Amino acid sequence: MEKREDWRSILPYLPVLMRSPSLFWPSQVVETLREIGSGRVDSGQLLYIAITELRNSLSLSSEPLAPSAAHGYALFFDELISREECRKWFEEVLPALGDLLLRLPSLLEAHYENADMVIDGEGATIRTGLRMLDSQEPGIVFLTQELIAALLVCSFLCLFPVHDRYEKQLQPVNFDELFASLYDDYSQKQENKIWCIIHYFQRITSNMPKGVVSFERKVLAWEDDSVHVSYPDTNFWSTSVIPLCRFEVQSSGRIEDHSSEAVEVDFANEYLGGGALRRGCVQEEIRFMINPELISGMLFLPSMADNEAIDIVGVERFSSYKGYASSFRFSGDYVDEKDLDALGRRKTRIVAIDALCGPGMRQYREKYLLREINKAFCGFLHQSPCQQYQKILHENFDAASATSTSMDTSEASNSYEEIRNSQNDYDMMEKNNDIGVATGNWGCGAFGGDPEVKTIIQWLAASQVLLHVEKSQHETKGNFGAQRPFIAYYTFGLDALQNLDKVVCWILLQRWTVGDLWNMLVEYSKNRSKGDTNVGFLQWLLPSIYDNGYMME
């Protein structure tokens, strides 16, 4: 295992140690975890003492935690939760988490035993093991939900080394700042963010989920080549003759509650997770709280460049909520009833794309319009079955069955055979893709983007299909598709978009292509940059809906 390149890339960022050929916990760590498992840790104050002992045993004391972390853990567990909730946590949940963490070395070893390189029919190789998915290196990691749970226990107990994360452009992944922020500047939203995490731990210790989650870095190549989708230029967009896809305006509701299968957009920070583990509590941070398995991606996914997006498939939702930002509140359990796909992943597809931050008037320059549309295009891109997903079908649930202690041999065998036999169905699903995009005002809140422009950009990106042509001695074929059949746009009641459905209807009646609408957006943006217009794009395009009411011609 020590010879694996993927393992060597992640080892410095994990708390476990290696003594060839095995992973292990130091004896002092084992002793402390057993003490946690015995139920003798029964308060927030003692919990933080145990955290300190664990960190000292792993030689992490030179990497201090947030100064108020100890007070934050004590405040939550000793004052904010009820006596009955406290009893259940320290007598049932925390001991189970300690037992799970004791098994982390064996969970990791089983993971790598079942995540070897896979060779497809064309001789290409792909790795699926846990590793750093560095910038400009497309790749995919498959983790079982059980392994993710163990990694999140490490975050809760602040066991991840931090010494090199900043240089690697990685987010902090320990929970010390999350709890410290609760004490330093108490707010109900911060308390309720923690309640989501606590509820997740309560759920997984009572019934460990057995699915799989994939994390993929997608990259549009800066240079043309014969293998990868390249970064489109302005000519590509202006000359596109692809028809626009169906556009559904959703004046109420939330992206994560969309009824049909769709790629759900995470209005991401370039650093995945944004302020989820600090004070942040807007769209991305809330999604990371109700789907805490997303947090594990922060461990190994450095920041995104302009030509990159991150796909996460299979995360389970555990919490209900209400409110937003300062009004955010945990509102109880959520039972996720989405089906599993052929790879054992829940059919929740989340794509993280980061918009320009504070773009001001530069967002109307063609260079930045291109940046935004290509960022969305990269996120919405889906690859054909001859790419990554088909390559790993034959190993699919091996990792899940190897690491799940509760699945017996016959059950694992049946799952493996069922998934192998489902390959044809999965290929057909990909060829007849009916998965749209569910999105909203991407980059238009704190980031300061123009919601009308961002709406059109996302529609164009979802509509465009790109055929990457590969020529061989015998044939020419297209390998990639990006077009989505629909885009469901959640306006969240934004006044600027109150006439969006009317403008969309008018555009579709004109039978405009992607190129037609892109060119109109570019023309508008030039006028806006020069100060020739100050109205929004929708009014500029169709002033009649603002001046004389809506008329179809």
Side-chain angles (χ1 to χ4, degrees):
M1 185 166 152
E2 66 270 23
K3 297 179 180 179
R4 295 183 62 104
E5 181 182 345
D6 50 4
W7 168 244
R8 292 199 305 271
S9 77
I10 196 69
L11 179 59
Y13 304 93
L14 293 174
V16 295
L17 304 181
M18 184 159 197
R19 182 169 51 212
S20 184
S22 301
L23 301 176
F24 73 101
W25 287 118
S27 58
Q28 302 96 316
V29 170
V30 173
E31 181 179 342
T32 303
L33 289 177
R34 286 177 176 165
E35 184 174 345
I36 288 175
S38 70
R40 288 195 291 270
V41 175
D42 59 2
S43 69
Q45 185 176 11
L46 290 177
L47 172 59
Y48 194 80
I49 291 173
I51 289 173
T52 302
E53 291 175 353
L54 288 168
R55 289 175 52 81
N56 289 341
S57 300
L58 293 167
S59 301
L60 297 175
S61 55
S62 61
E63 303 173 3
L65 300 178
S68 300
H71 300 298
Y73 279 89
L75 173 61
F76 185 84
F77 289 106
D78 298 341
E79 297 184 36
L80 296 180
I81 67 176
S82 70
R83 185 170 301 178
E84 176 57 28
E85 289 164 333
C86 182
R87 183 203 61 78
K88 181 178 180 180
W89 174 263
F90 286 110
E91 292 183 8
E92 300 176 20
V93 179
L94 186 61
L97 296 181
D99 291 340
L100 174 61
L101 200 53
L102 279 171
R103 294 192 291 109
L104 178 60
S106 62
L107 289 171
L108 284 167
E109 288 178 353
H111 166 76
Y112 285 105
E113 287 172 4
N114 294 279
D116 290 330
M117 286 189 177
V118 179
I119 301 176
D120 72 356
E122 300 175 353
T125 60
I126 181 173
R127 295 174 297 171
T128 63
L130 176 60
R131 65 194 185 281
M132 280 295 156
L133 285 179
D134 288 323
S135 183
Q136 306 304 315
E137 295 182 12
I140 191 165
V141 165
F142 272 62
L143 302 175
T144 65
Q145 288 181 276
E146 185 175 26
L147 177 53
I148 289 173
L151 293 172
L152 292 182
V153 178
C154 291
S155 291
F156 175 71
L157 297 176
C158 304
L159 300 184
F160 287 112
V162 301
H163 65 280
D164 198 30
R165 294 187 65 83
Y166 178 80
E167 290 76 8
K168 196 72 173 178
Q169 294 190 305
L170 287 161
Q171 283 267 57
V173 73
N174 289 324
F175 287 178
D176 56 315
E177 290 191 45
L178 182 68
F179 280 91
S181 299
L182 179 69
Y183 177 82
D184 289 335
D185 185 20
Y186 172 81
S187 65
Q188 286 189 300
K189 71 173 176 64
Q190 195 72 2
E191 178 184 342
N192 281 268
K193 284 173 62 178
I194 294 175
W195 269 116
C196 290
I197 300 295
I198 296 306
H199 178 68
Y200 163 76
F201 286 134
Q202 291 171 337
R203 280 276 304 274
I204 60 101
T205 52
S206 63
N207 184 21
M208 180 64 70
K210 301 178 178 66
V212 176
V213 180
S214 67
F215 300 82
E216 180 183 7
R217 182 182 290 275
K218 299 194 297 187
V219 182
L220 296 177
W222 291 120
E223 304 292 337
D224 290 340
D225 61 40
S226 61
V227 178
H228 303 99
V229 178
S230 57
Y231 192 85
D233 58 16
T234 53
N235 183 65
F236 171 88
W237 292 105
S238 67
T239 59
S240 173
V241 295
I242 301 298
L244 295 164
C245 69
R246 188 170 82 252
F247 195 111
E248 303 171 1
V249 177
Q250 305 287 342
S251 57
S252 62
R254 298 167 174 157
I255 293 170
E256 62 269 22
D257 295 326
H258 190 74
S259 57
S260 61
E261 282 193 62
V263 173
E264 301 167 7
V265 178
D266 165 15
F267 305 164
N269 188 286
E270 64 179 300
Y271 291 89
L272 184 69
L277 300 184
R278 296 187 295 277
R279 291 184 174 87
C281 197
V282 287
Q283 197 258 8
E284 180 173 37
E285 290 87 357
I286 290 173
R287 196 64 197 266
F288 274 59
M289 294 300 103
I290 64 174
N291 295 81
E293 291 163 334
L294 291 167
I295 296 170
S296 62
M298 296 165 63
L299 172 64
F300 57 90
L301 286 159
S303 64
M304 289 179 279
D306 287 347
N307 62 331
E308 296 180 324
I310 292 171
D311 257 352
I312 304 172
V313 182
V315 291
E316 183 172 351
R317 181 174 170 184
F318 292 88
S319 295
S320 297
Y321 76 97
K322 58 185 179 181
Y324 190 80
S326 62
S327 65
F328 172 78
R329 300 293 184 269
F330 166 73
S331 61
D333 189 37
Y334 182 92
V335 178
D336 195 331
E337 297 180 345
K338 287 189 178 179
D339 295 332
L340 301 183
D341 69 10
L343 299 175
R345 304 173 300 180
R346 197 168 297 274
K347 290 183 179 179
T348 298
R349 300 169 173 86
I350 296 173
V351 61
I353 51 174
D354 56 301
L356 290 168
C357 184
M361 290 302 295
R362 68 187 170 104
Q363 66 184 303
Y364 302 109
R365 298 179 199 165
E366 193 166 334
K367 170 183 176 181
Y368 295 104
L369 292 174
L370 185 65
R371 188 270 183 198
E372 298 294 80
I373 196 170
N374 285 342
K375 172 67 72 167
F377 180 69
C378 183
F380 302 163
L381 181 72
H382 68 263
Q383 297 175 317
S384 70
C386 66
Q387 295 299 308
Q388 292 172 335
Y389 303 123
Q390 189 182 29
K391 297 173 187 176
I392 58 178
L393 272 168
H394 71 271
E395 70 169 352
N396 47 70
F397 249 158
D398 282 2
S401 59
T403 59
S404 177
T405 57
S406 58
M407 182 183 290
D408 62 32
T409 305
S410 61
E411 184 181 354
S413 176
N414 290 338
S415 297
Y416 178 78
E417 290 302 322
E418 288 171 4
I419 294 173
R420 283 183 65 94
N421 293 336
S422 70
Q423 179 168 347
N424 291 337
D425 292 338
Y426 185 74
D427 290 351
M428 187 60 65
M429 179 190 74
E430 285 293 294
K431 290 175 182 177
N432 300 288
N433 198 333
D434 60 355
I435 300 170
V437 173
T439 188
N441 307 322
W442 170 55
C444 299
F447 274 31
D450 182 328
E452 298 177 54
V453 170
K454 284 294 197 299
T455 300
I456 301 303
I457 281 174
Q458 292 182 86
W459 189 11
L460 292 168
S463 300
Q464 179 63 39
V465 60
L466 173 65
L467 290 181
H468 178 80
V469 178
E470 178 182 337
K471 296 181 179 179
S472 67
Q473 184 177 359
H474 305 290
E475 61 181 344
T476 300
K477 59 183 179 180
N479 275 352
F480 295 88
Q483 189 177 46
R484 298 288 177 177
F486 69 86
I487 181 169
Y489 195 96
Y490 288 81
T491 64
F492 301 103
L494 198 65
D495 288 343
L497 301 178
Q498 61 182 340
N499 289 312
L500 178 59
D501 56 341
K502 298 176 183 178
V503 177
V504 164
C505 183
W506 182 86
I507 290 172
L508 290 173
L509 284 173
Q510 310 311 304
R511 299 186 182 278
W512 280 359
T513 64
V514 167
D516 293 332
L517 185 54
W518 167 259
N519 290 330
M520 294 300 290
L521 182 63
V522 171
E523 182 181 346
Y524 163 78
S525 297
K526 287 179 180 177
N527 289 336
R528 187 68 185 267
S529 293
K530 291 187 294 185
D532 292 342
T533 183
N534 288 316
V535 302
F537 176 76
L538 302 183
Q539 182 175 353
W540 176 87
L541 182 67
L542 197 61
S544 61
I545 65 171
Y546 292 85
D547 298 337
N548 303 313
Y550 177 52
M551 297 184 298
M552 291 190 210
E553 299 178 359

